[in-house]
Amino acid sequence: MVATFGLLTVVFHAARANSNAVPSVAAGWIMAAYWFTASTSFANPAVTIARAMSDSFAGIRPTDVAYFVVAQVIGGALAVLFFRWTANAPIASTNR
């Protein structure tokens, strides 16, 4: 939930402020989330399903996929609500 919420939040706000920054911001978030989340950043349901088919240290048991996907959907919904709540806030200008 944390990885998905954070990913969508930084992408929404980066897109609003500077759409050219979105790829770098998203990559930075995923790199950081890999280290600070216990799940090694399961932020995307498609990746979660793919990792269930993996036999690596970053894989998950197929029986746990549904729990991860539910958490990702909740994180995504919370990110959308958070973005709608903060969308009316003024954008900080970097031009001085």
Side-chain angles (χ1 to χ4, degrees), residues 12-67:
F12 287 153
H13 288 286
R16 183 171 175 236
N18 178 5
S19 62
N20 292 329
V22 171
S24 298
V25 168
W29 176 265
I30 290 298
M31 183 180 69
Y34 182 85
W35 295 106
F36 73 75
T37 61
S39 64
T40 60
S41 186
F42 288 105
N44 179 335
V47 173
T48 301
I49 293 167
R51 285 189 178 179
M53 297 177 198
S54 169
D55 192 22
S56 73
F57 75 96
I60 61 171
R61 296 180 308 177
T63 56
D64 294 333
V65 169
Y67 300 110

Side-chain angles (χ1 to χ4, degrees), residues 5-17 22 25 76 78-84:
F5 174 84
L7 176 63
L8 291 179
T9 299
V10 299
V11 168
F12 287 153
H13 288 286
R16 183 171 175 236
V22 171
V25 168
L78 290 173
V80 169
L81 292 172
F82 181 72
F83 180 71
R84 286 184 181 170

